[in-house]
Amino acid sequence: MAVLVAEHDLDLARRHADDAVLLAAGRARVGACPDVFSPQHLGAAFGVVAHERDGRLFFEAPPAS
């Protein structure tokens, strides 16, 4: 059985989904949730600094240049 869910709470998605699709800027990344929703991939996709602490994702604005 397959279920398709559009979820904006990435911590929730990482806890309950096996696989994920990350869509950003016309590109897609597909695979296992921990890989797709890694801080590195999320930071690159959305232009933010992403990090994980205690199993939760946190996002910050990039440093000013």
Side-chain angles (χ1 to χ4, degrees):
M1 178 193 299
V3 176
L4 175 64
V5 175
E7 180 61 61
H8 295 268
D9 182 339
L10 299 180
D11 288 320
L12 181 67
R14 287 172 38 145
R15 282 195 306 269
H16 297 290
D18 296 321
D19 297 306
V21 178
L22 174 63
L23 302 172
R27 299 181 70 188
R29 179 172 296 276
V30 180
C33 263
D35 180 47
V36 172
F37 292 150
S38 71
Q40 297 82 8
H41 293 149
L42 291 170
F46 298 113
V48 297
V49 176
H51 58 278
E52 183 177 0
R53 185 177 16 159
D54 298 326
R56 304 254 349 243
L57 291 168
F58 294 89
F59 303 93
E60 301 173 15
S65 36

